[in-house]
Amino acid sequence: MLKPLVVVTGKNGQLGWELQQLVAHVETAFDFFFTGREELDLSNPEMISAFFQKYKPAYFINCAAYTAVDKAESEQEFTYTVNASSVGLLATECSKLNCPFITISTDYVFDGKGTAPYAIDHLADPVNYYGYTKWMGEKLALANNPHTIVIRTSWVYSSHGNNFVKTMLRLMKEKEELKVVNDQIGSPTYAADLASAILQIITRLAAGNAHYGIYQFSNEGQISWYDFAVAIRTLGGLSCMVLPIPTKDFPTPAKRPAYSVMDTQQIVRDFGVPLKNWKESLVQCISKLS
Ligand SMILES: NC(=O)c1ccc[n+]([C@@H]2O[C@H](COP(=O)([O-])OP(=O)(O)OC[C@H]3O[C@@H](n4cnc5c(N)ncnc54)[C@H](OP(=O)(O)O)[C@@H]3O)[C@@H](O)[C@H]2O)c1
């Protein structure tokens, strides 16, 4: 029997890659089609409608995004197309097919002035252009398809792709001393855990568990980038000196929210998704890397 087709964008990114690894190793009730820019380029909105006419997905998972947070400040039009207007078009096309649409957003929709985990309905007020485009993408997706699930996540890393964990491991092998900011607080997310959560969500949707709207997902616990770096050094068995510095000593083109921990309980309540502690997942990723 033909299984429902799940289309996933961003096959070469951290999350898209982890989802590919996961479904290659477990039996699912779906057929998956993983796409990259060649099959569906989100900077080229004309491709979108033709793609949907050809493949007619039963579920659509958008893991693609323009994720270069600093470069987004100077590539605003391009970033808006990929992260906002094309996300809106994907949602419209899904809606025509009655196809649930899952798209990933970010903790960077928040202003960072909070001191307790951000509730889902806390007012978004991004401090950088990337966060603004992701917020606009959320709004368009929710407005254009009633069967949209937005999953906000934060500080994503994986054994694949570019991320803080791999950069730290590399730099710690090259240098004797590293400075890392200690006044930005967030929750890391192992992309493999988010991939499992997404598979669980579409499995529940297929079983008739019809929850839609905004959700938040990360690993549990809140830390600074400095704390994260120290844990990476320990688990990596390295000896590089790690020095805490304030954000003002590490200027970047895009501002970052000082505090971006999110309340993740709704995804547990509605989809039974398990949440792992950040260190447990970091251990898994680092052991995979070594
Ligand atoms: N990384 C984080 O720390 C973080 C934090 C919060 C939220 N998120 C969100 O989580 C999701 C997954 O992020 P990730 O970490 O997996 O990102 P990633 O590793 O940077 O991967 C992004 C993917 O999007 C693809 N892409 C970029 N522009 C595209 C375009 N015009 N058309 C089609 N595909 C395009 C990239 O393709 P190429 O491989 O060809 O470049 C890449 O495969 C994104 O929505 C991101 O905004 C990420």
Side-chain angles (χ1 to χ4, degrees):
M1 208 177 78
L2 224 58
K3 294 178 177 178
L5 179 68
V6 181
V7 169
V8 183
T9 61
K11 71 175 178 187
N12 301 314
Q14 302 188 81
L15 181 58
W17 184 84
E18 290 285 4
L19 203 47
Q20 276 183 89
Q21 298 298 303
L22 178 64
V23 304
H25 293 101
V26 296
E27 183 66 28
T28 78
F30 310 99
D31 276 334
F32 285 86
F33 176 30
F34 288 89
T35 67
R37 288 170 205 257
E38 321 74 52
E39 295 88 6
L40 188 54
D41 183 348
L42 299 186
S43 68
N44 181 3
E46 288 79 42
M47 281 178 86
I48 293 175
S49 141
F51 179 92
F52 274 79
Q53 277 167 30
K54 183 165 178 196
Y55 293 103
K56 298 191 170 48
Y59 298 86
F60 196 99
I61 304 170
N62 180 34
C63 300
Y66 186 101
T67 56
V69 176
D70 288 314
K71 261 173 76 185
E73 297 294 318
S74 52
E75 294 201 352
Q76 298 202 345
E77 206 180 321
F78 190 83
T79 309
Y80 191 91
T81 302
V82 175
N83 289 354
S85 47
S86 286
V87 175
L89 291 175
L90 293 174
T92 301
E93 293 299 329
C94 285
S95 158
K96 290 182 195 163
L97 298 172
N98 210 16
C99 162
F101 177 54
I102 298 180
T103 190
I104 313 302
S105 188
T106 172
D107 56 328
Y108 283 10
V109 300
F110 295 120
D111 65 7
K113 293 179 186 153
T115 50
Y118 280 101
I120 288 172
D121 60 359
H122 191 282
L123 193 70
D125 187 13
V127 297
N128 57 45
Y129 194 74
Y130 162 80
Y132 170 74
T133 61
K134 296 295 286 182
W135 181 35
M136 291 300 114
E138 290 186 0
K139 285 179 183 251
L140 290 167
L142 292 163
N144 296 0
N145 184 356
H147 298 143
T148 289
I149 294 178
V150 170
I151 307 175
R152 291 182 185 140
T153 189
S154 55
W155 294 25
V156 178
Y157 67 93
S158 156
S159 56
H160 172 87
N162 298 319
N163 56 64
F164 185 79
V165 174
K166 288 174 71 181
T167 303
M168 284 296 118
L169 288 172
R170 177 173 51 79
L171 292 177
M172 284 171 182
K173 283 173 196 155
E174 288 168 12
K175 294 175 182 264
E176 286 184 359
E177 184 185 294
L178 269 185
K179 293 176 179 158
V180 183
V181 296
N182 71 342
D183 54 0
Q184 287 172 34
I185 308 295
S187 301
T189 303
Y190 184 25
D193 294 338
L194 180 51
S196 296
I198 291 171
L199 182 57
Q200 175 140 343
I201 288 171
I202 57 167
T203 304
R204 292 283 178 103
L205 289 179
N209 180 353
H211 289 288
Y212 298 98
I214 303 180
Y215 290 89
Q216 301 184 147
F217 181 92
S218 67
N219 287 131
E220 287 200 296
Q222 40 184 292
I223 54 173
S224 71
W225 290 112
Y226 167 77
D227 300 327
F228 201 19
V230 170
I232 293 163
R233 178 188 63 188
T234 306
L235 293 170
L238 298 163
S239 57
C240 172
M241 173 102 79
V242 183
L243 301 171
I245 55 161
T247 299
K248 69 171 175 46
D249 292 353
F250 187 71
T252 50
K255 278 192 199 160
R256 265 74 173 167
Y259 180 91
S260 64
V261 179
M262 301 179 293
D263 179 343
T264 50
Q265 288 310 305
Q266 195 64 34
I267 204 162
V268 180
R269 283 194 285 271
D270 286 356
F271 293 102
V273 163
L275 299 176
K276 286 191 192 159
N277 177 268
W278 69 270
K279 211 173 227 176
E280 184 189 342
S281 292
L282 182 61
V283 168
Q284 273 184 20
C285 180
I286 289 186
S287 65
K288 202 168 175 187
L289 279 167
S290 49

